[in-house]
Amino acid sequence: MQVLACRARGLDESAECDRFDRLWSLADEELVLDPLAGDSDRLSPGQESAQQPSPPYRAPQPVSLTQAPSHHQPVLPDPRRCRSVFFGVGTYSHLESLPSVPAGLRDLAAALTCPTGPFAAEHSQVLIDPPSATEVLDLVQEASAEAEDTLLLYFSGHGLIDSYSGELSLALPGSRAEAGYTSLQYNWIRRAVLQSRAQRKVVILDCCYSGQAAAGTMGSAEPLPLAGIEGTVLLTAVSSQRMALAPAGEDGVP
């Protein structure tokens, strides 16, 4: 998790590591984590006055994976039953290229694989500049079907919003911003996750407009099904209306 924490710009790396540990512990308890709360999660004006003042903020305490809370015995992921797919695009024909993506994918995959990580190298796939959506989905579908403990899907590259449906698409090397059919619709990734029997499912989208993965389409304000799956964590780089940054000369991914 240290690799992910160091990518959180402007935040304390140690504190972010502690926060990731807590998220992992909560996912192991099969709680629903929704990173983008909807309107129903916010207080109405009449409710605000009835609420007690919030207590002072306290930094989250580190969660040790070797020490069990009194009410729950944490179980470390079994690498033999975990699957992960790291995919992304660094070279585009019609969009701005992102040279840092390939190295970022390899570094993150290496950090999360054995002997120190929860994933076995033979069960982790790194796919850089995939030429077609089919190539990506074949790997994602295979990993989703095989994972029993933890399923991790990570994408780095450009994110696009379909002008007709408002849905998020993941840009491939030949994608064109004005031609939605040239990109990989995120909805297909979501379907694979929905069908997986893995106890824990983690989807990380490191791209522009990635928050749209947890939001509704243009015609609906309801959140799309994924963040509401027990044991599932959806992490996005930005909100549904913002672009992710990839400053030139930095090793981080966008």
Side-chain angles (χ1 to χ4, degrees):
M1 294 305 177
Q2 186 175 5
V3 176
L4 292 175
C6 71
R7 299 188 188 283
R9 307 182 193 281
L11 299 178
D12 181 76
E13 180 178 328
S14 177
E16 286 302 290
C17 283
D18 293 342
R19 189 169 68 88
F20 283 137
D21 282 343
R22 293 181 63 84
L23 283 174
W24 185 271
S25 179
L26 289 173
D28 190 50
E29 295 178 11
E30 295 190 346
L31 294 179
V32 178
L33 302 180
D34 186 350
L36 297 177
D39 293 336
S40 61
D41 297 314
R42 302 186 179 93
L43 295 176
S44 64
Q47 291 176 306
E48 292 176 355
S49 59
Q51 297 295 316
Q52 296 296 325
S54 300
Y57 172 78
R58 295 181 181 276
Q61 297 300 311
V63 176
S64 173
L65 295 179
T66 60
Q67 297 179 352
S70 58
H71 65 286
H72 181 69
Q73 178 68 39
V75 179
L76 292 175
D78 181 355
R80 299 168 301 176
R81 301 168 60 240
C82 296
R83 298 293 186 272
S84 59
V85 178
F86 305 86
F87 66 103
V89 179
T91 303
Y92 288 93
S93 300
H94 306 286
L95 303 172
E96 182 181 358
S97 291
L98 303 169
S100 62
V101 166
L105 288 172
R106 296 189 187 98
D107 290 347
L108 183 58
L112 295 180
T113 52
C114 290
T116 58
F119 299 94
E122 62 268 26
H123 297 317
S124 298
Q125 302 289 339
V126 178
L127 187 59
I128 299 172
D129 294 345
S132 69
T134 301
E135 184 169 348
V136 176
L137 292 172
D138 281 345
L139 283 182
V140 169
Q141 192 65 46
E142 180 181 358
S144 298
E146 293 180 354
E148 298 176 347
D149 185 310
T150 300
L151 171 67
L152 170 64
L153 304 178
Y154 175 90
F155 170 75
S156 178
H158 283 301
L160 302 172
I161 297 297
D162 188 280
S163 59
Y164 179 77
S165 67
E167 294 184 357
L168 175 69
S169 291
L170 310 181
L172 300 175
S175 293
R176 303 193 302 274
E178 73 283 1
Y181 57 85
T182 60
S183 301
L184 169 57
Q185 293 185 4
Y186 174 69
N187 185 50
W188 288 104
I189 301 292
R190 183 188 298 111
R191 290 186 186 185
V193 176
L194 284 168
Q195 295 169 359
S196 176
R197 59 178 176 173
Q199 288 180 279
R200 287 172 291 269
K201 309 173 186 73
V202 182
V203 178
I204 304 176
L205 300 177
D206 198 355
C207 62
C208 296
Y209 315 117
S210 51
Q212 188 66 16
T217 62
M218 287 182 174
S220 172
E222 295 298 322
L224 295 171
L226 179 56
I229 305 173
E230 289 189 355
T232 299
V233 178
L234 173 62
L235 300 178
T236 64
V238 292
S239 70
S240 60
Q241 303 297 322
R242 297 192 61 182
M243 298 181 65
L245 300 178
E250 294 197 9
D251 294 333
V253 291

